[in-house]
Each structure stands twice: as structure tokens, then as C-alpha cells.
């Protein structure tokens, strides 16, 4: 259950205050050149301390590859890797060893396992997502060879939201502000809100949107392997995720069928659709149009204010968290959403290739 | 990819116009009494022709068990079953053999596989969900022994929606109207809307909500086996599903952390929470509170009006669907949502039991 | 656990005295023409009553396909099928309902599950293998397109064994005698032994050998997915199998490394080996030479003589089996060994294709 | 494919001359005390340089745990670990970079992946098995709590073999000689043979036998999850393994059914069998008797003599291996066989527990 994927697989391990976070990537096609600068850049997008909008923790997250790479190329064998933990303030967590933090995993872990690593949330820490960014970066490098690109961005913080879908924005501007929102003026508003919330020791949530382009027709499997179900599963495994929708999502039901249907037409010899309410997936299988979806994130559970709670023994008490925490996960969630999308798409790409008989799927 | 689950598993097969729809249930605990009347009742909730709000197709869906049952009890070996197809009007589909229906899976299947069974959508037909209802009914029978119950209901049709969450309604009223909405007056409104839409040959979507009660603390696995991710995956495999959210879902981000956090307290010796914004799952693991979630469904793609499209050869043409179709999937989606939830919860119940060491999880 | 394979998968169900034996084949490449005569012929090779060497039970095993086939071709969707049971003499088993037959699965099933279907061994009956023959026949049809062929034969019955490996015999003669041994004179000896044993109500075992030809270089995955480990697993799941060896097998250790090593040479532009002690697999991956292996089968546990045993309550008693049983499984095991080999090779063929990058594995 | 197991799972990584060998153990029950001295002792049994019978390479194999352990106990979360490589003489392998060593995996890896790590065999090196010993040691610690013990020993080297089965020997003497053979005089003979072979630069193979005691009735799943099939698969994934047999194995077919059957009797209130030809498994499920099996190993492929071969380009050449190699894998294979057995038994123990309903399997 710490393994993700069918043919391209990440098995991850590690706690926030143990030796480090790492993983094993199995099933990466051989001969892929590992662009180390790119991989590091992906980790940097996720790392804390990037701006005043994120936690001031400084973590110099560098990945050490342990296997599966020879002379700069993947060999087809499993890629082990680790990001060593540094800069841990375990004492920050001393006061929460014996109490359950509200809306954290302390209580559920303790009850499930009979014991837990209380330092920094242990395995349930969002620091676990760093392993996903490593695997996602490698998946992106493979997908790039197939002409597939992935771009996520912050589309809502609190009640401040982007109107319109991804076509209304120049997504190449996403990285130009610390919120990772392609609309500079909305980004400014969002940043103000995050700072206001932070000044009160509070936190805020929102949504991340994502677009995948260049996916050939045919990815996704019938019944239980629908491509959007795989994407939804992937996104919902990210810490603090509360919802997933693709295409028109929760608004799809407002349209009548005659409005929602995407009409096919012949686009200079290729079959295409005039609209894309479906979000690039029909019957669970990619149809060659852009795939887009949205992920909801709750506000961070760690607030720097007093909260009533109970101790491990069930005694009522009051907790005041210390430590260095994000007032809003959204900016740092953007690269994680991309990473999970990249792993999922590559996994289904490989699956589809396995079943491909020459002459069938002309696009692939 | 036609297999769902880890330890309690359904492998399904069948097309809408082939011999039948069936499956194999593997991993059902031995000694479970199969209440055949209950199983049939679950199939009846899903079957077409129940009311004027659903397709007038009459399908007398009776399940035939082929193995795994002896003297009325499960034996622990795989349970094969089939629901034979009847009342197929394959000729209804003759005119769509060579054209792609908009927002259906015709085009993606044809391109992926190089051929397809055009009769009634083949494998992509919603008729496939009948196998899920059989497996879900059996899962419910097992879960009942553990004190776990599942109840879904229609919470939105078009723009008509229930305000407030499940606590505001008496869910036992759900089955008292054909829409399966626990609020009689809203149900009436929804029914009117569906009939209006139907009279125009059009279709409409909405949402189904679901509540799971009696789940012990501890179901769900860290990282990629989070319970809500498993539920989300399960729901998104249902035909026409476009989104999934649990707890506060897409609204979670509007709350500040201090508002969203569920405060623990000592409830007569048991640890409980004062609110349940989390939706019964924290850190991916059930916390003993009610689990609730919502699934978005698009409007049915088959509309009985003229629509432009292309032929298999890419020539532009106009299609007018015939046949007997649902104007709205919501009423019949309710039992399917429950079935997928039941299978998921039982699967994770068994998983958790596998790892349980005496003395750890006192609830289980 | 009733599912076999990774990408080409069989999920089987059924008991010997229930409605029938069936299964679901998932992952069969689309567009494969189903040669029904060939499939039936494979079932006929396995069916009882073929000669006086096998059980006199007459079972007219005809497969009914339930899905996944359209106009004679596989569609890529799951292939459901069933072989209905007929000619069951359940009364034959009345006397063993309350006693445990020695070296059968009665005791282990009863203890594991708390109940069992006593008729004909229930799920543990060798009749279960008929589902494997269906899936194996389809796998053979796919493999044939890739130039891969599989041939098994009886190589030992009791102490009568073929000397030398498969190269010493004309395997095309295998089907010319009821023992399925390519050496006519040894076959005669084996047949005599089986008849002698049968006349005493006793049974006998032996070995089946198998050769797979035309496998390209590259099938098999490092570490836990070694091709011979997959083949060994496959064979050991066949009822009554007690051992598996490939290449020189248990004799390999008698040779020194300098004798056992297969020397590479350039065979008119292709790399080949001068000997094939390795059995066509090196480092767990096929090397392009013939793959060959041997499977050991014990004598059938049902003997028609008095045997001491205990009742379900643990009381000592004496059992005399009735019914119609095989004195020797070998002749009928030959097609089952082939079927499991075909499924395994196809599964690993698809796996290898998934990871294949243009320019790497030139043979495939 | 670098993951082993269903519920107790090892994902391994690493090459012999990369940074190290490591893995992730997922599904280890929480609360297990990690006896570090025991784990190190298991690694020491496998490590090279133990005696003059093994390679003179000195590898100080110490495991570093990276996660999943808190205050000396497992937490239920994944256990990452690494054994850093040291004492690598990569230059030893310079001369084999461009040639294929006979009966090694060089040719198959190169062809499958289009490139390979030539240093020390890369991923196909037997050094990979060290990860198995770590996971196996932890599995043993868990199984010990359930009263299950595992003991393997060298039963044959070349043509020198132990007569009789494990009952004829005092297995506690196994570790008293470097061959790991419980018969001191046979051990002496085997040692002489290994030294003689070594002096010629040659190698030799043989068999390892293994006994598992204390396994309750009920482990193993019908059809494709038979316990012996799982054990066979596990053993055949060990480098140089050529065969597997359990119970009477390849000799089972020599006995008539009436001789081979294990007669049940009432042993002071418990059902037991008078003989154990079955090897503790009936119908694929453990029957409470001792489980025993044998694994065949070929002679090591690396011989220190001249051998003809071909270069990567297909040119014929002569190779003389250098480096420090084992003349016989048997002594060091003993702990690896135990490790794989321990992982398999624990995995099936957990599986069985998942499906267990109170009142069924009284032994567990």
C-alpha cells in the first residue's frame, strides 16, 4: 500500500523526522537520460522555504540515486533513491507526543497500529510527497519523449478563484509568482489572503487545476481501470486532498446532454471534438483532446492557536502547536499534482503499449 | 483491469448485447449466508423500467450463481455468477455501427482496440454495473455482521439540490420516491425536471451522496492506500461519474484551519470529534465517525435529437439516436454507489484485519 | 488468489459438482481470431474418458463464451466463459461427506474455511483445470502469431522414463498414443504399468516434460519476475504437481561450471549457444534458445481400496472410495502443462512489450 | 517485478557495484521488536569471506534502517533499508565490459534493455539477495511470535548427498561447519570436493533442503495461490536455482497412491497423519505437519579458466574471468532459502488471517 502504479511503480518509504524519505521506482523504461538539473528543479518547486507564503523551514532537498542508473541513463532495473532529512527540530514536537492534534493522523495511526512515530507526523507527514516528486520528474522525462506535457497551477485560494478554464490563461506564467497562479492579479490577491491568514496563525485551502497535453487516443482500460479513476485515485492520495473532478466535474450535471456532448468533426483528416466538456476522456479512455482536472485541498490542520483536544489516554486538554508550518499548501501542491499525473499517465501509456497489436492504435 | 479490489475482489465481464453480464467474486469470507431475496432486491433497485423516470427497457435481472456457494453459504472459494441478457433490441443500434456517438466510448474503443462491439455500447454500457450490484450486495451482507451500513441518495438533479448534509434528512425515506431523494418535496421537483428534460429527448445529471456508518477506527493504509482515495477510485469507475469529494470536499478550502479542524473530546470514555468536516477519515484512515462523500454524474450522452458527428471513416454526418434510454442516471446510480462503497469498505476491513496484532486495534 | 497472471490474466471459478467451471480472461490482445475448433480440441485432450488409461467418466466438455468476442474476434474486453457440468454422480461422494480422504484437500479446506463443498472435492477438484485449458488455448492462438510453439509430453510413469532430453525424440508423435509419450515403445510399457496399477485399484505418478520454441530474447524480469520462477509457479499450481525443474534442473549441480556453461558463438550473424544446459533462460530472461522444463506429479490420491482415516469429528474409521477416477494423471496433465506455459509466456511477452523502447530489443 | 509478496512485501533495488543494495519492506505488522543482533547474524551467514569455501571478498555487510522503526519497534509503515557497497573492485570487470560471459545474464540484459551495467553483473549479481536476508530476518522475528521456525541446510554438493530426509539428522548441527550440512562427515566430504574444484578454478552445485515447523493448518489459497506454488516461486527467484520439489517431489511418482497417501489418525485429540509424503501441504494448503522442500542450484557460472565466447558486437573471442568468486553457492544459499521461506510463510499467514472469521480456523 506504499506502492503506486501497475507497470511504472513507485514504492516509497520514510518519515519526516527519520533518516530520510526515499523510494524505489520500478518499471522505468531503459535508456532514459536522467536530467539531474531538471529533477532537482522539480524538487525545488516542492521544497519549503521558497517564499514567505510557505513554511520557513529550510530543507535543502537533494536526491541521491542509489541504483538503476549507469552512465547517466536508466538501465531498466529499479531506481532506488533517498533524500536525507536535515534541519529537523524534533523538539518542536515534544509537546504533541502525548496528545492528538485535531484533524491530523495522530489518533488514527495510534489506534490502527498501537504505536506511532510522533515526530512531525511520522509517515503521514507531507514530507512523504518528496518521493513522488522524484518519480514524477523521471516520468515527465520519459513522457517528454512521447510528446506529453503536464502543467498544474493554483486555481483557487479560499474564495478567490480563477474564472474560466485553463484556456483563458497563459499557463507559462504560472511559475512567475509564489502562489503559482497564471493570473498575476489574482495571484496577488491570493498572496494577500495567505499572508493575512498566516498572521493570525491560521491556514487556508483551495484548488489546484491541471492540464495534460499530447496524450494519444487509447490510454485507459475498461471498467475499473478508467483513466480518470486512476487520476482521481492518484490525486486523492496527496495529503490534504478532499476532492477530484475532471472535465466539467461537479458542474457537468447542470448541463443537459445536448449541451454537454462534445460533437465530433473532421479536423483536416483527424477526428476531433468541437468542445471538450469530457475533459479529454470518454468511456474511461483518452480521446486525444486535452485532459484537465481539478483537485480540492483543505486548509492545513496545524494552526498556531490554542485548540481543545484529548491526550492519548483520553483526557481533555488544550494544545498550542509550535513549529514551522505552511499557512497554505496550494503553492507547494502544484508540483505534487503534476508528479502524480505524470506517473499515472506513464503507467497507462505502458499498459496500453503492452496490449497494442501492430495496426490497431495508429497514434501510439 | 476488469478486476476491482485487493482482498475482496470482483472480476467482471460482459457486454450489454452479448450473452450476459457476470463476474467472479474472490475473497468473500467463508460461512456468509447468502440472502437471495436481499441480493435480488439490490438488483431491482438498479434495474431499468422501475418508473417513468428511467428507461422503459424491461430487464428482468436475475442473478444465477455458478459456484462458491454450498447449502446457502459461501465456502470461501470464488463465487461465479451471471445475469443473462434478455430483451435486447440489437437493431436499435444498427444505425450507429458506422458512426461515433458524441461523448460515448465508441471512438476511443475503436481506436484503442482496432475493433469494437457496437451493440449497445458493448463493454462500456452501463449494464456492466449490474455485476457490481451483485458483489456489492454480498459485501453488504458481510459488513452487516460487522455492524457497518451504507446509504446513498440523490442529492442533486440539474440545479435542484439538497441543502445541508445528510444529518438534515431522514435517509430511511430515500426509497419512498423514484428519484431516491430523502426530501419528498425536492424529490417531486427533481422528478418534474427529469420528466421535462425527457419530453424533449434530452438528459440531465446531478450528484449522489453516500453515508457509511459503523466503520471502526483503522481502515485505510498510509500513502497510496488512503481510504478516501480507494473510495474515490471506486466511484470514478462508475459510468458517467465526473467527480468525487468527501467530507467538506470542494468547500473545505473555504474554511480556515481553525474552523475546519474537528476537535477531539472524550465522549463517555470514547474519543470522538465535535464536528466531522473530515468526513470520517483522517490521514487516510477511518476515525470512527461517519464517512460521507458525494459523486458527480454528467447527463446521459444519448439524447434523442439530431447531433452532428463523424463516421468511422471520418466523414461528417448527422446522428439521431433511437432506443430506450435513461433521461437521468441518478436514481439508478444510487444502488451502484452503495455497491462500490460496500466492496471498498469490506476490502479495507479485510486488509486491516490481516495486519492486526492482538492488543493493537481494540475496535476490530 | 483465483487469478493468474499480470497482463494476460485468468480468473477461474467453479467446483466439480456445481453448475460448471468457468473463468474470465482479461488482457487478451484485441483482434485475435478465436479458432473454436482448436479450442475444443485442446479441451478434448484434457477431458476424461479418452482411453482405458483414464477415468471412464464421460464429460462432453464444451466451452460457452459469454463475452469479449464479436464476429469471431477478441475485442480486448474480458472473455467470460463457462463449461457446464454434466454427468455428475454426487451420490458417489455421499460416503465421504463426513470423513477426510487421505492426501486430499478435505481436511485442509474444512479447517481453513469452517465448511466445504464435499461433492467431488469441490474447488480442489482437478476439474478446475479445464478453465486453464480454455485460457491456454487462446494464449496459444496469440503466441502462434508471434511464432512461439509449446509441446509437452509424458516423460516418466512410475520408474519407466525416457532417457535423454527432448531432442532425442520426434515430439510430433506425442499424440499418437494415449499416454502422450513420443517414444512408442516406452509408451507401450507405460500403458501396461498404468493398466496393471488400475487393475489393483491403485494409482501411479510420473513426470511431464515441456519445450517452448520461438521465444525471443528478453522475456522475464529481474529479481522476482524471473521467467523460470513464473513458469515454476504456474506448473506448481496444477493439481498433484510436486516439483519443477528447468534446463539441467536437479542434475545441474552434478556438472562443474566449466561443463555446465553454455558457450556463445556467432551463428551466421546471430548470437547463439553451443549447448543449452541453461534451458533457454539466463539470469531469469529468455536467451532465444529452446526453453524446456519438467514437472513431477504424484500418484492420484483416490485409490479404490480400503484406507484407515478419521471422520470430521476425529473418530478413526475406514474409507473405501468409489467413483470413477484416473489411475494416472500424466496423460491428461500434458495439455494442462502446455496451457499454463502458454499463459505464462504470453503474460511475459506483453510485459516485455510494455517496457520496450524502439531500438532496444530488436527481436521483438 | 522487483516486488515480492502480497501483504508482506519486499521491493528491492541495487547493483553489486553501485551505491548499495537496499529495499522497502511493506506490510510488516506493527509493534514487532527488531532484534538487531539477530538481523546482523543472518546477514553474516550470507556474507562472503566466511571460510575458504566461499569467495575471499570481504564485505562488511551492515544494514542501515531508514524508516518504519521507532524506539526499536516496527511502526507498521514501510521499512526502508540499505547495505552500502564497499570493497568493490570494478576494475576486475573491465575485461568483461564488451564480452558476454557464458551462462551469465550479460547477453539477456543487454538485449532486453539495450544497455547494461557491466560491473559485477549489475542487477543480476547474487549480491541482490542481501536485501532478501534483511526482509527474511524480520519475517522470522514475526513468525517466531507465532511459533513458526525455519531451518535450511546443504543436502547435496556435486554427487555427495545426504540420504534420508531431515528427520534423520540433527539440524541444530547445521551451523557447525562451513558447508552448513548437519552431517559432519558428509560435510567434510563436501568441503573437500569444493576445495578440489576451487583449486582448478572451477565450480560446483548441489541442493539445499529446508524444513518449516509450527505452521498452523490453513495457510495457502486455492487454485493459483497454493502454498507450495508460492514457495516454489520464491525459491526459483534465487540466483542459480534450477529446480524445486516439496514432499516426495520428483520421487513421488515412483510410489503408488496406496503407498504415498498420508493416513490420518487421531493423535490425542488432534488430527494428524502417520506419514508425511505430502510435505505438510495438501490441496495447496498447510495441514499442520512439517513443511519440507528441496532447491537445486547449478554450479556458479564464473569459472577462472579460459572460455570461448562472443563480444557485444558478435565477434568470437576468448574470456578468462578474474575476480573473487564462490566455487560453490550452497553454503551461502542456505540463509537465502530460509529468508525466502520466511517471507512467503508470513505473507500467507497474513492472507489467511484477513479472511479468517471467528469460529472457523481454530488453530490460528
Amino acid at each position: 500500500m506504499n506502492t503506486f502504479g501497475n507497470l511504472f511503480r513507485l514504492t516509497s518509504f520514510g518519515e519526516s523526522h527519520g533518516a530520510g524519505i526515499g523510494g524505489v521506482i520500478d518499471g522505468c523504461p531503459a535508456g532514459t537520460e536522467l536530467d539531474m538539473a531538471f529533477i532537482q528543479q522539480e524538487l525545488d518547486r516542492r521544497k519549503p522555504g521558497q517564499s514567505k507564503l510557505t513554511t520557513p523551514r529550510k530543507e535543502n532537498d537533494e536526491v541521491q540515486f542509489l541504483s538503476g542508473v549507469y552512465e547517466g541513463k536508466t538501465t531498466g532495473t529499479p531506481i532506488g533513491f533517498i533524500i536525507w532529512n536535515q534541519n529537523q527540530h524534533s523538539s518542536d514536537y515534544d509537546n504533541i507526543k502525548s496528545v492528538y492534534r485535531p484533524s491530523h493522523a495522530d489518533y488514527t495511526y495510534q489506534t490502527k497500529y498501537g504505536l506511532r512515530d510522533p515526530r512531525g507526523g511520522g509517515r503521514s507527514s507531507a514530507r512523504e510527497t518528496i518521493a513522488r516528486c522524484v518519480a514524477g520528474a523521471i516520468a515527465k522525462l520519459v513522457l517528454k519523449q512521447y510528446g506529453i506535457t503536464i502543467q498544474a497551477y493554483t486555481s483557487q485560494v479560499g474564495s478567490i478563484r480563477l474564472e474560466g478554464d485553463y484556456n483563458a490563461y497563459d499557463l507559462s506564467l504560472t511559475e512567475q509568482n509564489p502562489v503559482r497562479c497564471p493570473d498575476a492579479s489574482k495571484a496577488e490577491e491570493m498572496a494577500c489572503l495567505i499572508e493575512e491568514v498566516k498572521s493570525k496563525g491560521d491556514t487556508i485551502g483551495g484548488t489546484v487545476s491541471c492540464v495534460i497535453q499530447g496524450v494519444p487516443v487509447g490510454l485507459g482500460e475498461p471498467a475499473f481501470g478508467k483513466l480518470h479513476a486512476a487520476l482521481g485515485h492518484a490525486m486523492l492520495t496527496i495529503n490534504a486532498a478532499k476532492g477530484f473532478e475532471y472535465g466539467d466535474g461537479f458542474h457537468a450535471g447542470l448541463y443537459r446532454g445536448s449541451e454537454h456532448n462534445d460533437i465530433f468533426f473532421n479536423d483536416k483528416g483527424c477526428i476531433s471534438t468541437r468542445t471538450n466538456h469530457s475533459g479529454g476522456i470518454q468511456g474511461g479512455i483518452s480521446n486525444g483532446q486535452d485532459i484537465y482536472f481539478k483537485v480540492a485541498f483543505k486548509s492545513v490542520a496545524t494552526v498556531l492557536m490554542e485548540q481543545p483536544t484529548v491526550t492519548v489516554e483520553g483526557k481533555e486538554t488544550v494544545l498550542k502547536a509550535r513549529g514551522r508550518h505552511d499557512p497554505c499548501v496550494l503553492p507547494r501542491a502544484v508540483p505534487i499534482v503534476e508528479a502524480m499525473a505524470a506517473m499515472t499517465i506513464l503507467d497507462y501509456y505502458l499498459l496500453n503499449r503492452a496490449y497494442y497489436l501492430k495496426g490497431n492504435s495508429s497514434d501510439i
Side-chain angles (χ1 to χ4, degrees), chain A:
Chain A
M1 287 308 194
N2 290 284
T3 297
F4 178 84
N6 298 282
L7 291 180
F8 182 86
R9 303 210 291 183
L10 169 66
T11 300
S12 85
F13 67 84
E15 288 92 24
S16 64
H17 285 61
I21 301 287
V24 185
I25 299 161
D26 202 2
C28 184
T32 304
E33 235 164 300
L34 279 199
D35 179 339
M36 295 302 293
F38 174 75
I39 295 169
Q40 189 56 50
Q41 175 191 311
E42 290 291 284
L43 296 185
D44 289 348
R45 291 173 71 205
R46 195 214 74 97
K47 83 174 174 190
Q50 298 172 55
S51 77
K52 60 190 172 179
L53 300 183
T54 61
T55 168
R57 284 199 313 274
K58 289 272 179 231
E59 287 161 11
N60 187 20
D61 290 331
E62 267 181 60
V63 62
Q64 178 182 5
F65 286 105
L66 302 167
S67 67
V69 185
Y70 182 65
E71 298 183 343
K73 287 187 179 173
T74 60
T75 61
T77 60
I79 303 169
F81 64 89
I82 190 162
I83 299 92
W84 298 98
N85 285 334
Q86 297 169 319
N87 192 256
Q88 304 143 337
H89 292 200
S90 287
S91 62
D92 284 356
Y93 296 97
D94 273 359
N95 65 330
I96 55 165
K97 197 166 182 173
S98 57
V99 301
Y100 294 134
R101 290 170 298 165
S103 288
H104 273 274
D106 301 339
Y107 170 62
T108 51
Y109 270 63
Q110 180 80 38
T111 308
K112 182 180 183 72
Y113 295 114
L115 80 172
R116 80 191 142 105
D117 181 345
R119 301 166 302 167
R123 180 68 179 155
S124 69
S125 163
R127 187 156 169 75
E128 173 265 327
T129 55
I130 198 168
R132 307 175 184 219
C133 287
V134 173
I138 293 177
K140 279 184 183 179
L141 288 170
V142 179
L143 289 176
K144 207 176 145 192
Q145 303 173 52
Y146 308 151
I148 299 171
T149 58
I150 296 168
Q151 174 73 56
Y153 57 94
T154 299
S155 48
Q156 183 175 346
V157 173
S159 58
I160 304 165
R161 82 180 71 194
L162 293 190
E163 307 302 331
D165 73 8
Y166 67 95
N167 286 306
Y169 301 95
D170 176 356
L171 300 188
S172 72
L173 304 177
T174 300
E175 296 293 318
Q176 305 215 335
N177 58 68
V179 183
R180 294 205 164 88
C181 172
D183 178 314
S185 118
K186 287 280 185 181
E188 192 57 40
E189 281 183 64
M190 290 169 176
C192 287
L193 175 58
I194 295 171
E195 289 197 65
E196 182 230 307
V197 161
K198 180 187 175 188
S199 70
K200 295 178 177 153
D202 216 337
T203 61
I204 192 78
T207 65
V208 169
S209 295
C210 185
V211 192
I212 311 173
Q213 295 177 303
V215 177
V217 188
L219 305 201
E221 304 294 327
F224 306 118
K226 293 190 170 86
L227 187 58
H228 58 263
L231 285 167
H233 176 266
M235 297 306 144
L236 290 162
T237 68
I238 302 174
N239 295 39
K242 299 298 288 186
F244 168 86
E245 61 177 18
Y246 77 105
D248 283 357
F250 276 88
H251 296 95
L254 300 173
Y255 295 101
R256 310 227 161 161
S258 58
E259 300 163 320
H260 187 273
N261 282 353
D262 295 316
I263 299 304
F264 287 114
F265 75 108
N266 188 317
D267 185 12
K268 297 167 203 149
C270 290
I271 292 173
S272 187
T273 60
R274 293 206 186 272
T275 51
N276 186 14
H277 294 287
S278 301
I281 301 173
Q282 288 175 331
I285 298 171
S286 60
N287 70 350
Q289 306 301 311
D290 293 349
I291 293 172
Y292 63 94
F293 59 84
K294 194 180 280 187
V295 189
F297 290 94
K298 68 169 185 169
S299 45
V300 175
T302 302
V303 295
L304 303 180
M305 354 174 116
E306 293 203 336
Q307 295 179 98
T309 189
V310 296
T311 66
V312 175
E313 289 81 26
K315 264 196 5 202
E316 302 200 345
T317 182
V318 168
L319 170 77
K320 180 145 192 245
R322 290 172 304 178
R324 299 153 300 165
H325 301 283
D326 283 292
C328 179
V329 296
L330 276 296
R332 293 177 58 205
V334 165
I336 302 167
V337 165
E338 290 178 7
M340 295 308 295
M343 282 193 272
T344 305
I345 295 294
L346 177 53
D347 191 33
Y348 277 75
Y349 191 99
L350 297 179
L351 267 173
N352 192 50
R353 190 159 62 183
Y355 295 124
Y356 162 62
L357 276 184
K358 280 177 194 68
N360 285 5
S361 303
S362 55
D363 305 82
I364 298 167

